Amino acid sequence: MSSDVGTPVRTAFSTTTSVPPVERSAEIPYVRSWLKAHGFEVLDCPYDFSGQGDALVCGRRLFVGHGQRTDFRVPGLLGELYGFEVVPLRVSSERCYHLDLAVGVIGPDTVAWCLEALDRPSVAVLRSLDVDVIEVSVEESARFALNLVSDGRTVTMTRGAPELAASSANAG
């Protein structure tokens, strides 16, 4: 997550027991070891931070979710560390425990989202950005439609979201 080619990527891990879920906590030593062996600098996040599920790169912006698994102070911390324009977004749906269940980045200028999964100030912030928005229904969002991966040209996503698939294909 660095804008300088050749600069080590920094990865923040939570040191609390509540994040990640207990059933995944055994993964941390192995991932930490792999990252260090491959030249990454590993930092301990002083607050609860659920990692990639709550941090989404969108062009020059970094959307950082907070609410259920990530502390509200994390967006500011990530902004200081990585130099992105950080856009904090609060996930308000119990079902969406990560930002990537409420928002999906299709490309640097295109975002898919489930309006009902975010609080009102976050909706207002997303609407104020210069990005194209694809709205996703609660039903498709519940089928993990927004938990997708995109390189800006190809979107890999669940088969359970035909409306989002059609909309993203139409968006180019």
Side-chain angles (χ1 to χ4, degrees):
M1 290 176 65
S2 175
S3 57
D4 298 328
V5 176
T7 302
V9 174
R10 294 182 175 182
T11 304
F13 284 98
S14 176
T15 57
T16 66
T17 56
S18 62
V19 178
V22 175
E23 59 270 15
R24 299 204 58 192
S25 62
E27 299 170 15
I28 292 175
Y30 298 103
V31 172
R32 183 183 297 266
S33 175
W34 185 94
L35 288 168
K36 285 183 177 181
H38 288 84
F40 290 83
E41 180 181 359
V42 179
L43 303 175
D44 288 318
C45 185
Y47 314 113
D48 285 345
F49 176 47
S50 195
Q52 184 177 346
D54 278 335
L56 305 173
V57 175
C58 182
R60 68 185 196 295
R61 296 180 181 102
L62 181 64
F63 297 147
V64 182
H66 60 94
Q68 292 187 44
R69 293 191 177 173
T70 294
D71 189 278
F72 72 95
R73 295 169 286 192
V74 170
L77 176 65
L78 293 177
E80 290 175 28
L81 286 173
Y82 300 118
F84 280 95
E85 174 191 337
V86 173
V87 179
L89 301 169
R90 181 160 172 59
V91 178
S92 61
S93 167
E94 287 292 318
R95 182 186 47 74
C96 295
Y97 47 87
H98 284 149
L99 181 62
D100 69 358
L101 298 175
V103 175
V105 177
I106 305 294
D109 300 313
T110 306
V111 176
W113 68 342
C114 179
L115 186 70
E116 294 82 1
L118 300 167
D119 69 2
R120 285 184 183 185
S122 297
V123 168
V125 166
L126 278 175
R127 284 189 170 144
S128 74
L129 300 177
D130 186 25
V131 295
D132 294 325
V133 175
I134 299 171
E135 291 195 24
V136 174
S137 69
V138 172
E139 295 77 25
E140 283 200 357
S141 174
R143 292 190 300 268
F144 297 96
L146 295 163
N147 190 278
L148 55 83
V149 177
S150 175
D151 65 3
R153 291 183 309 273
T154 303
V155 179
T156 304
M157 58 184 286
T158 181
R159 289 186 176 152
E163 291 173 24
L164 175 57
S167 296
S168 60
N170 291 336

